[in-house]
Amino acid sequence: MNGFELSSQVSELLFRLWDPIGVNRFVGARDEYDFYVPVVVTLLINGTSEKYLAEVLQGFAETQMGLADLPPEIHTRASQRLMQLVSKTS
């Protein structure tokens, strides 16, 4: 999988699955989480751990969005699916 394909899939997963602010039902919000895609892709390419990736997602939600009370499972579930993207290409 090339970088563009990985970026596209990461963007899709962040929007459809992670979606901490609950905007994925709005077509106009499709790019809401694209700011985070380069960081996530870089972490995935560099072999990050699932746990660390979940912590990064949680950090985005808390510091960038002000959402400190989200259940950790939101970030863990997204991290697991994101890690599967790179495990398929190994």
Side-chain angles (χ1 to χ4, degrees):
M1 173 182 320
N2 66 38
F4 178 77
E5 291 169 337
L6 182 57
S7 293
S8 295
Q9 290 187 20
V10 166
S11 175
E12 184 69 16
L13 276 172
L14 292 179
F15 183 68
R16 297 284 173 208
L17 178 65
W18 182 52
D19 191 30
I21 59 175
V23 296
N24 67 12
R25 64 185 175 274
F26 304 109
V27 176
R30 178 61 191 85
D31 63 350
E32 184 66 30
Y33 307 116
D34 284 355
F35 177 78
Y36 308 109
V37 170
V39 173
V40 172
V41 167
T42 299
L43 289 170
L44 290 171
I45 289 171
N46 289 323
T48 193
S49 71
E50 183 180 301
K51 182 179 185 286
Y52 183 72
L53 184 53
E55 290 170 358
V56 168
L57 294 176
Q58 182 175 355
F60 291 155
E62 290 178 0
T63 61
Q64 303 292 321
M65 301 172 205
L67 301 171
D69 296 332
L70 292 173
E73 296 80 31
I74 291 171
H75 314 299
T76 302
R77 183 177 63 241
S79 176
Q80 290 168 345
R81 291 285 301 278
L82 288 162
M83 295 296 290
Q84 289 173 359
L85 294 176
V86 291
S87 69
K88 290 179 184 177
T89 61
S90 301

